[in-house]
Amino acid sequence: QAQLEESGGGLVQPGGSLRLSCLVSRFVLDGLAVGWFRQAPGKEHEGILCMTSNGEIVTYMDSAMARFTASRDMRANTAHLQLTNLTPEDTGVYFCAATRWGCTPTAAEFSDWGHGAQVTVSA
């Protein structure tokens, strides 16, 4: 079972940016698909995007298309999610999750999860 640990959340003003990181342990990134999910207050996990084991990115959230970018650092075994032009509607807990199968926007298909990083967008 992979272990994941998010970092990089925080409070940011509208229009600002944050970079989230997801340190993966026990498995190497090129053997995993890593998905990013957001959970807004009172809502279910919503799939943002996913990076396949080959490094391809599949984006599920329309509002993320031009604003959120996924990357990974293979030497550090860390995945990143760059958030830009943030709005208050982006507020929530952001999770990275891993699966040894393919990418999917369905949270239940991911077996390994981090504890989440709080992102708050407010003036």
Side-chain angles (χ1 to χ4, degrees):
Q1 185 176 6
Q3 288 186 328
L4 293 83
E5 181 178 355
E6 299 95 342
S7 60
L11 173 64
V12 63
Q13 292 185 342
S17 300
L18 282 174
R19 188 192 195 205
L20 305 181
S21 297
C22 176
L23 173 63
V24 179
S25 304
R26 298 188 178 177
F27 281 86
V28 291
L29 274 178
D30 62 4
L32 298 171
V34 176
W36 288 92
F37 293 83
R38 178 172 76 194
Q39 188 173 28
K43 295 188 177 181
E44 299 293 324
H45 288 88
E46 182 178 12
I48 301 172
L49 53 76
C50 180
M51 180 175 281
T52 70
S53 58
N54 294 329
E56 298 174 356
I57 297 171
V58 184
T59 302
Y60 302 115
M61 183 182 288
D62 288 343
S63 64
M65 283 287 185
R67 301 186 300 128
F68 298 172
T69 305
S71 62
R72 64 184 183 181
D73 181 340
M74 299 302 292
R75 288 198 305 173
N77 218 44
T78 300
H80 300 285
L81 182 66
Q82 180 73 41
L83 311 174
T84 63
N85 196 21
L86 287 162
T87 72
E89 288 70 35
D90 294 315
T91 293
V93 182
Y94 285 68
F95 296 86
C96 59
T99 176
R100 286 170 284 288
W101 306 102
C103 281
T104 168
T106 304
E109 298 295 326
F110 287 79
S111 55
D112 306 321
W113 288 78
H115 293 295
Q118 176 69 46
V119 172
T120 302
V121 185
S122 175

